[in-house]
Amino acid sequence: MSQLSPCPLRIEINEVAPRDGLQIEARFVPTQDKIRWIDALSTTGLKRIEATSFTSPKAIPNLRDAADVVTGIQRRGAVDITALVPNIKGAERALACNVDEINLVMSASDSHGLANLRMTPEQSLEQFAAILDVTQGSGVFINASLSTTFGCPFEGEVPEARVLELVERLIALGIQGVTLCDTTGMANPTQVKRLCEAVLERWPETPFTLHVHNTRGMGLANALAAWQAGITRFDSALGGLGGCPFAPGATGNVCTEDLVHMFEAMGVDTGVDLDALLNVAATLPELISHEVPGQVVKAGKSTRRYPMPVSAIQ
Ligand code: COA
Ligand code: ZN
């Protein structure tokens, strides 16, 4: 563990289920249901909610109501509303809705960039430069999410040197925060810890976020490894929803309530009221018409106790 980065006592959660979660659902969730859900989430102590994406409605039909969602939700000062944006058109739409943050998205690998965005990383960087011209002076925080940072479902390994080069170029452009994304759950804890230590050491002033998917059951382990490297910002999705529709084999993000439960049990302050969050998580199967992978909502917190069986105490 880096001496500069002891395990943090406090972390921040960015809830991405309204974006990463709903984008891959089979069914469109009605706009008013999304708004009620996000309003409920925003009372639970989450630091940030990625409410939607301003993408092409042809690419992501489930989020075609992005503007109505962002302008329809209650804005509470304590919760930043962010939205995923792939290009200049998306940035203009997001700005028009007064988001607090724009989360630009690009891929670290050419193949996923072309499959997901029809853009290579180089083309995405050109878009970002144009977007930063438009957003300058707006006061909106500009974050960039780097998909396939820990591996690409088409190309396999993405060299760490390539990831560091792209992070450097993002920061040089004027991007304020960077999210390292394990798009299809290819990362392992050793790899996550090494890359997180590397970026924190090289760019100690830049807020870095970890975004992991639990596709191979390593989501919580990877989050823990990032925390041990000194990462304080995590993306996660209620219920463990999520996945990129243009990344073969993609499944859900690390589950927010399971992540909060783990960190709170370890004495790390997440700022989240876990009981309130679990109450919202319990409404998910009705909202999206199927069961979700989240575990704590089914098992109860680790403080749950059961009565002894009568036969054992007689
Ligand atoms: N918001 C709304 N509409 C958009 C848009 C945006 N941000 N960007 C492009 N469009 C529209 C264009 O106006 C055009 O519409 P038209 O056919 O009615 O004229 C159409 O989409 C195609 O535009 P073009 O610039 O050629 O885009 P493209 O077809 O090359 O698609 C993206 C590029 C980035 C817009 C598209 O691939 C996309 O939205 N991808 C998002 C993928 C995603 O969110 N993945 C999951 C998250 S990781
Ligand atoms: Zn994701």
Side-chain angles (χ1 to χ4, degrees), residues 19 23 53-60 84 86-87 89-90 93 105 116-119 147 244-246:
R19 193 279 300 174
Q23 71 185 7
S53 71
F54 289 94
T55 45
S56 155
K58 284 183 196 138
I60 308 285
L84 191 86
N87 60 8
K89 179 161 184 179
R93 291 175 62 212
V105 62
N116 189 35
L117 306 164
R118 297 184 207 265
M119 282 184 269
S147 300
C244 173
F246 305 102

Side-chain angles (χ1 to χ4, degrees), residues 2-225:
S2 158
Q3 288 213 318
L4 290 172
S5 316
C7 298
L9 297 175
R10 185 167 297 162
I11 61 164
E12 290 179 1
I13 309 276
N14 175 28
E15 173 55 59
V16 299
R19 193 279 300 174
D20 207 328
L22 295 190
Q23 71 185 7
I24 200 171
E25 283 297 316
R27 201 178 131 257
F28 177 80
V29 173
T31 308
Q32 286 310 315
D33 292 352
K34 287 176 181 150
I35 290 172
R36 266 194 299 277
W37 177 42
I38 295 170
D39 283 345
L41 281 170
S42 73
T43 62
T44 61
L46 293 160
K47 176 72 184 143
R48 194 169 288 102
I49 299 176
E50 192 160 284
T52 189
S53 71
F54 289 94
T55 45
S56 155
K58 284 183 196 138
I60 308 285
N62 279 356
L63 303 180
R64 60 184 182 265
D65 56 357
D68 290 337
V69 169
V70 175
T71 55
I73 56 179
Q74 289 175 34
R75 301 296 288 271
R76 302 177 210 270
V79 188
D80 287 340
I81 297 301
T82 180
L84 191 86
V85 162
N87 60 8
I88 185 94
K89 179 161 184 179
E92 286 165 352
R93 291 175 62 212
L95 280 181
C97 296
N98 280 325
V99 294
D100 299 302
E101 174 177 315
I102 286 177
N103 182 24
L104 300 176
V105 62
M106 66 175 284
S107 193
S109 59
D110 285 15
S111 320
H112 181 255
L114 290 169
N116 189 35
L117 306 164
R118 297 184 207 265
M119 282 184 269
T120 61
E122 298 301 322
Q123 290 170 312
S124 284
L125 287 168
E126 278 170 33
Q127 284 284 322
F128 291 4
I131 289 169
L132 285 162
D133 283 344
V134 174
T135 57
Q136 208 164 29
S138 65
V140 174
F141 187 90
I142 308 297
N143 192 78
S145 277
L146 200 50
S147 300
T148 65
T149 286
F150 299 94
C152 167
F154 305 107
E155 293 174 27
E157 188 199 345
V158 177
E160 202 170 289
R162 174 64 170 156
V163 172
L164 292 174
E165 181 210 330
L166 291 171
V167 171
E168 179 152 47
R169 289 173 69 185
L170 287 169
I171 292 170
L173 271 181
I175 298 294
Q176 292 162 282
V178 177
T179 302
L180 304 172
C181 303
D182 182 25
T183 307
T184 56
M186 293 171 71
N188 66 69
T190 304
Q191 179 191 14
V192 168
K193 187 156 179 281
R194 189 176 58 237
L195 185 65
C196 291
E197 282 176 348
V199 296
L200 290 174
E201 199 167 301
R202 263 176 89 166
W203 297 285
E205 305 302 324
T206 302
F208 283 95
T209 303
L210 186 80
H211 176 111
V212 290
H213 283 258
N214 196 35
T215 313
R216 293 178 175 83
M218 290 187 276
L220 282 180
N222 285 332
L224 189 70

